């Protein structure tokens, strides 16, 4: 059964309303509110092009975490190496630096036929796993990494959401602390036992990426939302997770705890103490820890650096370091690359050998596009200080975090001066998630229209200002609270205009519905 397009998934990673698995007879899922806003934004652009009068001259999309779409291209060295690998005739071009040609030549020398167009299975399963493992050891301060525990993939979506046609785990294997029988071999359905009368539960954060809750539903599991502590900077509230566990056990068997760090769309970065608390919780409750760490390159607060769950787990020592099962994710699209190149990997920690073998077999059949892996290799082994491209590559990396930090500071300053907004400190990621005050009359009118209040607000905002934001209900939020997701990737002048228009519109919105 084919997996539905990601954009067609359910409304939230934390609503507790995951979509049912697809079937050949299923109707296409209804569009989400954000999808409808995106379609309306495109229609408005057409109306403007046709000369229709609007109180604005252009549509500004300010909701995405897609850096390339926002104008931030990957480093030149990355694209140069990929270009030469795709078209080796560029080896003779003076437009390509010698060190980029040299790196491309080394990569092509390891590919069948000297081409990214060949299958090149060994490049993915041998060369890339070794290079990723060495990168992870450098990232984690020397914590060992076994190449066989690294599974390259074509991005987080491909790793988390897998077709229902995938093979099953061998019976009798330890699958997430369980020996009850076979279970699907993809990541989020790792612990789903279709023969059990009690469904598997997957704990997902609220707010969180829509992918997680939707994937749980697609896998035949139950998404169990747990609230992040907004007033504590969106920290993981372990007592709240325990309460969610107790409630969930009346309807499912929770086996997976998903944690997103840095947070999306919340922009928080977990402290070491919070991560240790989460690890202890996973150990005490016998949960597989699934760490979505794809935003790690976007941690921009020097006071709260990114730490991987693997490193923290290792440094906690025995017995936890060898007992807690962990799967962590990395994506090129949320770092120095771009989403269109489709490259990433996940690492398996403390997972039984028989399960690792099945993952390897899966990798043989659905390995990722070679050109994306070429770009991932360059990120894993960037230019070194003695190479000519090193200064520009490192400057690009610094510019990424610097621009996010400046945008976060600007957004925090502007919203702090505007009544009706509350923004928690931003430390990483590419979005902010401010709370927005909406008056009772607006809530009533939204309900009369069958809309979530934040969707109603975003619709009005788009029609009056041409600004498209993502409603908080797209990511999940506590009942009675309302949020919007704002991208930090816009150029600063554009972000300034968005914030001015947003705060002025909100003031008028409060007057209109008071």
């Amino acid at each position: 059964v084919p997996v539905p397009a990601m954009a067609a998934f359910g409304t939230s990673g934390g609503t507790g309303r995951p979509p049912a698995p697809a079937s050949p007879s299923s109707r296409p899922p209804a569009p989400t509110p954000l999808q409808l806003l995106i379609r309306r934004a495109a229609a408005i652009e057409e109306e403007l092009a046709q000369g229709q009068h609007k109180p604005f001259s252009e549509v500004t999309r300010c909701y995405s975490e897609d850096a390339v779409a926002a104008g931030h291209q990957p480093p030149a060295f990355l694209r140069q190496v990929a270009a030469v690998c795709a078209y080796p005739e560029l080896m003779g071009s003076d437009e390509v630096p010698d060190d980029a040609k040299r790196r491309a030549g080394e990569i092509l020398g390891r590919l069948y036929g000297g081409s990214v167009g060949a299958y090149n299975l060994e490049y993915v399963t041998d060369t890339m796993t070794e290079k990723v493992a060495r990168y992870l050891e450098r990232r984690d301060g020397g914590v060992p990494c076994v190449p066989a525990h690294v599974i390259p993939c074509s991005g987080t979506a491909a790793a988390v959401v897998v077709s229902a046609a995938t093979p099953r785990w061998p019976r009798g294997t330890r699958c997430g602390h369980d020996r009850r029988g076979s279970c699907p071999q993809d990541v989020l359905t790792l612990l789903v036992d279709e023969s059990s009368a009690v469904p598997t539960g997957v704990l997902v954060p609220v707010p969180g990426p829509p992918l997680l809750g939707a994937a749980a539903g697609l896998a035949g599991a139950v998404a169990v939302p747990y609230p992040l502590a907004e007033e504590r900077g969106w920290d993981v509230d372990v007592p709240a997770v325990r309460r969610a566990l107790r409630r969930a056990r009346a309807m499912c068997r929770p086996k997976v705890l998903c944690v997103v760090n840095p947070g999306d769309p919340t922009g928080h970065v977990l402290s070491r103490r919070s991560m240790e608390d989460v690890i202890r919780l996973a150990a005490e409750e016998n949960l597989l820890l699934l760490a979505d760490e794809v935003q790690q390159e976007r941690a921009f607060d020097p006071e709260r650096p990114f730490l991987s769950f693997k490193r923290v787990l290792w440094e906690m020592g025995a017995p936890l370091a060898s007992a807690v099962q962990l799967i962590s994710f990395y994506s090129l699209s949320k770092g120095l690359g771009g989403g269109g190149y489709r490259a990433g990997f996940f690492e398996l920690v403390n997972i039984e050998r028989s399960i690792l073998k099945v993952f390897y077999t899966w990798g043989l059949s659905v390995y990722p596009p070679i050109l994306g892996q070429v770009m991932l290799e360059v990120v894993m082994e960037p230019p070194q200080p003695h190479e000519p491209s090193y200064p520009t590559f490192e400057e690009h990396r610094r510019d990424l975090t610097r621009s996010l930090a400046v945008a976060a500071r600007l957004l925090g300053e502007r919203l702090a001066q505007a009544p009706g907004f509350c923004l928690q400190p931003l430390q990483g990621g590419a979005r902010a998630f401010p709370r927005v005050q909406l008056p009772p009359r607006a809530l009533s009118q939204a309900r009369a229209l069958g809309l979530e209040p934040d969707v109603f607000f975003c619709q009005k905002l788009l029609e009056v200002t041409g600004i498209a934001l993502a409603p908080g209900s797209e990511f999940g939020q506590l009942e009675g609270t309302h949020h919007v997701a704002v991208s930090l990737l816009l150029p600063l002048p554009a972000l300034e205009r968005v914030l001015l228009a947003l705060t002025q519109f909100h003031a008028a919105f409060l007057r209109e519905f008071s």
Side-chain angles (χ1 to χ4, degrees):
V1 180
V3 178
M6 285 304 305
F9 279 178
T11 59
S12 170
T15 59
R17 298 173 299 184
S23 70
S25 60
S26 294
R27 294 181 178 181
T32 70
L34 178 56
Q35 283 181 297
L36 294 176
L37 284 166
I38 292 171
R39 293 177 186 176
R40 178 57 188 150
I44 290 174
E45 286 180 321
E46 291 183 7
E47 293 168 2
L48 288 169
Q50 294 167 2
Q52 291 191 27
H53 176 71
K54 303 282 184 184
F56 48 87
S57 60
E58 62 180 357
V59 170
T60 303
R61 291 171 170 80
C62 193
Y63 52 80
S64 176
E65 56 177 352
D66 186 340
V68 175
H72 302 271
Q73 292 296 329
F77 184 80
L78 198 62
R79 290 177 285 147
Q80 289 159 350
V81 172
V84 175
C85 287
Y87 189 62
E89 286 79 357
L90 289 174
M91 284 287 191
S93 171
D94 294 335
E95 298 296 321
V96 181
D98 289 342
D99 53 348
K101 294 177 187 178
R102 185 166 53 252
R103 178 67 67 87
E106 294 171 356
I107 294 172
L108 290 171
R110 293 192 292 267
L111 301 181
Y112 285 125
S115 173
V116 295
Y119 279 113
N120 289 305
L121 187 59
E122 288 80 4
Y123 174 71
V124 175
T125 59
D126 297 338
T127 300
M128 281 307 301
T129 55
E130 177 70 28
K131 291 185 179 296
V132 169
R134 302 292 79 80
Y135 163 81
L136 291 177
E137 289 178 347
R138 292 192 301 273
R139 183 198 68 179
D140 293 335
V143 177
C145 179
V146 179
H149 297 176
V150 173
I151 311 295
C153 61
S154 57
T156 308
V160 176
V161 185
V162 183
S163 169
T166 52
R168 302 301 177 188
W169 293 115
R171 286 190 176 274
T173 58
R174 178 174 178 261
C175 185
H177 318 287
D178 194 6
R179 296 178 180 270
R180 295 188 49 147
S182 64
C183 60
Q185 61 83 347
D186 62 275
V187 173
L188 254 192
T189 60
L190 180 66
L191 306 184
V192 172
D193 182 0
E194 293 182 344
S195 65
S196 174
V198 181
T200 293
V202 178
L203 289 142
V204 295
V206 175
L211 165 66
L212 297 177
L218 185 66
V222 175
V224 179
Y226 68 88
L228 300 179
E230 181 173 5
E231 300 307 320
R232 299 203 330 252
W234 300 111
D235 198 5
V236 176
D237 185 345
V238 170
V241 179
R242 292 191 188 277
R243 290 192 294 271
L245 275 168
R246 286 196 295 270
R247 290 192 298 268
R249 287 184 173 127
M251 61 177 180
C252 66
R253 186 180 180 191
K255 294 185 179 182
V256 183
L257 172 60
C258 299
V259 182
V260 182
N261 182 46
D264 179 46
T266 51
H268 70 279
V269 175
L270 292 176
S271 67
R272 178 184 289 271
R273 180 175 179 179
S274 293
M275 297 172 75
E276 291 174 346
D277 290 343
V278 168
I279 289 169
R280 292 189 189 96
L281 171 68
E284 293 166 7
E285 300 291 348
N286 222 24
L287 299 170
L288 167 72
L289 183 57
L290 194 154
D292 179 339
E293 299 177 332
V294 301
Q295 303 276 352
Q296 60 188 264
E297 302 277 5
R298 293 171 168 175
F300 52 77
D301 184 353
E303 300 298 318
R304 184 61 63 82
F306 168 79
L307 293 171
S308 73
F309 267 97
K310 179 189 176 184
R311 176 173 184 168
V312 174
L313 175 62
W314 174 272
E315 292 175 350
M316 291 176 75
L320 294 176
S322 59
V324 174
Q325 292 188 316
L326 166 68
I327 303 179
S328 62
F329 295 89
Y330 178 98
S331 175
L332 185 67
S333 65
K334 307 304 189 297
L336 294 177
Y341 298 113
R342 311 311 306 143
F345 62 83
F346 55 98
E347 183 187 11
L348 308 167
V349 179
N350 296 329
I351 304 295
E352 189 173 305
R353 184 179 298 274
S354 57
I355 302 296
L356 291 170
K357 183 177 180 180
V358 179
F359 266 116
Y360 178 79
T361 303
W362 171 71
L364 295 180
S365 62
V366 295
Y367 66 92
I370 299 302
L371 194 58
Q373 291 296 301
V374 165
M375 299 186 77
L376 181 62
E377 176 181 340
V378 177
V379 173
M380 298 294 99
E381 292 187 349
Q384 296 304 299
H386 66 276
E387 296 180 288
S389 294
Y390 175 81
T392 55
F393 191 93
E394 287 303 304
E395 181 63 23
H396 190 287
R397 187 191 297 274
R398 288 191 295 269
D399 282 347
L400 171 68
T401 54
R402 187 186 302 125
S403 64
L404 288 171
V406 172
R409 185 167 59 250
L410 173 66
L411 200 134
E413 291 172 353
R414 295 295 183 270
L415 294 188
Q417 300 167 3
F421 288 94
C422 179
L423 178 66
Q424 297 301 314
L426 298 172
Q427 300 154 332
R431 286 192 275 220
F433 201 61
R435 186 191 296 189
V436 184
Q437 176 191 350
L438 300 179
R441 276 190 59 218
L443 306 185
S444 299
Q445 186 160 339
R447 284 192 291 267
L449 294 171
L451 298 173
E452 292 290 336
D454 53 358
V455 174
F456 176 68
F457 175 81
C458 288
Q459 286 182 350
K460 292 281 191 182
L461 176 70
L462 176 61
E463 297 294 339
V464 173
T465 68
I467 296 170
L469 302 182
S473 52
E474 191 80 9
F475 306 92
Q477 55 192 347
L478 286 182
E479 186 175 353
T481 66
H482 314 290
H483 300 77
V484 292
V486 184
S487 174
L488 302 178
L489 294 169
L490 283 184
L492 281 181
L495 184 58
E496 281 268 24
R497 292 194 298 272
V498 165
L499 294 175
L500 178 61
L502 172 62
T503 53
Q504 290 178 342
F505 170 80
H506 180 255
F509 186 88
L510 291 178
R511 291 192 298 270
E512 179 181 356
F513 290 98
S514 293

